[in-house]
Structure formats: structure tokens, C-alpha cells
Amino acid sequence: MSNRITSSLNLICPVLAAGGTQPKELVFTARVLSGDEAKRLGLVNQAVEQNKSGDAAYLQALDLARETIPQGPIAIRMAKLAINQGTEVDLNTGLAVEEACYALVIPTKDRLEGLLAFKEKRPPHYKGE
């Protein structure tokens, strides 16, 4: 693969979260990784072969965005918050964070729309309310 990823400030947190001695090695050496290597190490979710126009990763990101956009924006926001905060603390605190985030989703119109759409076997139409 021609796309390269360097050990930069943007990668330090995911690298350190991987644990063990390899994250230190990557940070200390500033080793350049291929997309496949970064994926194998769990630093990225996907690695794509570069295309002729040089925008393969951008196009893959757009596909992911198109898949995410139809989902409930409040639920996505709360899931992101629960994951980001919940993974930085012990299990009991993480579960409490998840519960608190979900509690904010329960009273929303979007949640009711999701339930109704499921019952009616149709796509939901979320409004962020």
C-alpha cells in the first residue's frame, strides 16, 4: 500500500491505548507504518488501496459518513460520549457513564420515532429532537 501513517500526536493516544511495549516502540521510534500494518495493530479500522486520483481514503470516509448520517443524531452523539468517556475509566464508572448517556436518549422524539419505525417496518426519519 502506498498510503503511510506516521507516529504523530494524532496517533499517540490510540497507540498507547493498545497497551504493551509495542506502543512505546512506535512512539519512541516514530516508525512509519503502512495502512495494512496500522490496521493489523488496531490503530485504524480500515486500510484502502490508493486509487489513481489519490483520494481512496477520503472516498472510504465519505461512505462511512453516508452510512452514519441516517442514524439518530442524538443516539450517535450519546454513544460517542459514552465510548469516549467510558473507556477511560474503570468498568463500574464506565457503565454509569453509559447509563447516564442512555438516560438522555430515552425522552427524545427520535427514540420514539425509531421504535415506531421499527414497529411499522419502515426507515426512521430522525430530526435530532
Side-chain angles (χ1 to χ4, degrees), residues 12-74:
I12 288 176
C13 290
V15 169
L16 295 177
T21 59
Q22 189 155 17
K24 290 178 184 175
E25 180 181 330
L26 292 172
V27 171
F28 296 162
T29 63
R31 183 170 299 130
V32 176
L33 303 175
S34 71
D36 286 335
E37 290 170 312
K39 183 176 180 187
R40 183 177 53 76
L41 293 172
L43 300 177
V44 297
N45 292 335
Q46 298 179 26
V48 296
E49 200 67 48
Q50 189 58 280
N51 59 18
K52 290 181 182 180
S53 57
D55 61 355
Y58 173 74
L59 294 174
Q60 184 70 31
L62 284 179
D63 287 344
L64 180 60
R66 286 185 195 102
E67 190 177 344
T68 305
I69 286 171
Q71 307 309 316
I74 296 171

